[in-house]
Amino acid sequence: MQTEKKITKWLNNDYTLASRWYQKLSAYYYNHTKIRWWGTTHTAAKLGMASSAPTLAYLNSSLSGIAAIFSSGGLFIGHWFVSKLDNLSRDKSSSAPDIHADMMLRVGDFLSITKSKASNKDIDDAIRACLGILENYASLITNSSKGQLSVTLALYMGSSTTRMKIKHRNPGNARPSNRDFDATNLMGYHACQNGTEPRVVHDLKKFGKSAADSPTKSGTNYRSFFIIPIESKSNGSIRGFVSIDSPRPYAFYGNRSSVIMVRCEPVLSHLGDLIERI
């Protein structure tokens, strides 16, 4: 019952101000705070360099202890601020994100112009190729390493409204496929039952044990995922959904999911064309 209430709140985006702030802080923690040995060493080295002059002055009795501490702190903050400005300058001068975004648009244009010339026996490979493109671009947007994300296509079986089958995953994905299952406990199923709006699950563990069950009974190693319902182009029904999974909570927080949808819209459209031929 508690899980059902949480799912309803998720579907309606019905969160209190305190909950939204908790999500914001959690997203920052999981996406920006990493304790790294070299990073810690670098910070300690900067602190040592900043405090060296005030410390020498204190040892030579030309500066009081309190003044030395405040001087060291001021110099450290100054070093940190300059480092941040330097990083911002490097980020803005880098054109790599723009190049990757433009690449996605060009790939989408190519697919839209050529459509699919694949024979029926090649459709499965074409679908997996589309899922692989989604994996690569989502990895870029979420700052994930190669192979960390999993992209899955789950489709309803025939005219059933509760049973689904996972037949396609991104290339290289070792998780089980070709298994049908009762989908009524899946977050993706609930998303499909509530329309075509893409939805993000920030942390699956927050929804309870029943929601975290794996459809293939192979266990779940993902914590957050982006669900994209797939609408039939012939009759407007929901055929199933694409799920982009990450083991990191809040991997799709903020505008990341929106960026993926905008940049990958041609690929998703092409994927829809291929599904119509199944």
Side-chain angles (χ1 to χ4, degrees):
M1 187 65 179
Q2 191 67 25
T3 296
E4 292 178 1
K5 289 182 179 179
K6 290 180 178 180
I7 291 175
T8 300
K9 181 178 289 189
W10 168 68
L11 291 170
N12 297 327
N13 196 26
D14 183 23
Y15 294 106
T16 64
L17 182 62
S19 296
R20 295 184 188 279
W21 270 104
Y22 174 81
Q23 290 178 352
K24 188 184 292 290
L25 292 173
S26 297
Y28 183 85
Y29 172 78
Y30 285 111
N31 288 301
H32 298 288
T33 57
K34 295 180 180 179
I35 300 176
R36 295 171 299 177
W37 166 251
W38 285 113
T40 304
T41 304
H42 184 217
T43 300
K46 288 198 297 185
L47 177 60
M49 290 295 295
S51 61
S52 59
T55 300
L56 289 174
Y58 168 72
L59 292 176
N60 289 325
S61 301
S62 58
L63 199 65
S64 67
I66 297 297
I69 291 173
F70 276 103
S71 297
S72 299
L75 287 170
F76 178 71
I77 292 172
H79 277 289
W80 174 84
F81 183 69
V82 171
S83 296
K84 285 293 181 183
L85 290 178
D86 187 44
N87 290 335
L88 286 173
S89 176
R90 284 199 298 267
D91 290 342
K92 289 184 177 180
S93 64
S94 174
S95 59
D98 293 332
I99 292 173
H100 282 91
D102 188 65
M103 179 190 70
M104 285 303 302
L105 290 177
R106 301 292 78 81
V107 169
D109 290 342
F110 174 76
L111 293 176
S112 297
I113 292 171
T114 60
K115 291 299 181 180
S116 177
K117 303 300 181 183
S119 62
N120 289 337
K121 66 184 178 111
D122 294 328
I123 287 179
D124 287 345
D125 289 336
I127 289 176
R128 281 190 286 269
C130 287
L131 300 183
I133 294 173
L134 293 175
E135 176 207 0
N136 289 332
Y137 192 70
S139 296
L140 173 69
I141 296 300
T142 60
N143 297 316
S144 302
S145 58
K146 178 64 177 176
Q148 191 174 23
L149 299 187
S150 172
V151 185
T152 301
L153 174 64
L155 299 176
Y156 285 107
M157 295 188 63
S159 59
S160 175
T161 59
T162 59
R163 295 201 67 81
M164 304 185 87
K165 184 174 185 177
I166 295 177
K167 186 177 181 181
H168 303 94
R169 296 189 189 271
N170 58 295
N173 195 324
R175 285 162 59 181
S177 58
N178 285 319
R179 297 185 185 179
D180 61 277
F181 51 89
D182 178 7
T184 51
N185 287 331
L186 288 187
M187 302 298 288
Y189 169 81
H190 292 294
C192 290
Q193 292 294 302
N194 284 268
T196 60
E197 179 185 353
R199 299 176 185 274
V200 175
V201 174
H202 293 308
D203 191 351
L204 185 59
K205 284 190 174 181
K206 301 296 182 183
F207 290 88
K209 186 177 183 298
S210 61
D213 285 343
S214 168
T216 57
K217 305 304 179 185
S218 59
T220 55
N221 65 342
Y222 48 87
R223 291 282 297 275
S224 64
F225 47 96
F226 182 30
I227 301 166
I228 308 169
I230 301 296
E231 183 180 9
S232 171
K233 295 186 177 182
S234 59
N235 58 22
S237 64
I238 303 296
R239 294 291 308 274
F241 64 89
V242 169
S243 173
I244 308 176
D245 310 334
S246 171
R248 186 176 76 247
Y250 294 87
F252 303 95
Y253 184 79
N255 70 340
R256 291 178 173 182
S257 58
S258 299
V259 171
I260 292 172
M261 284 300 299
V262 170
R263 298 298 186 185
C264 297
E265 191 279 330
V267 177
L268 290 167
S269 178
H270 187 67
L271 179 62
D273 290 337
L274 292 168
I275 292 172
E276 289 293 295
R277 298 173 58 186
I278 295 178

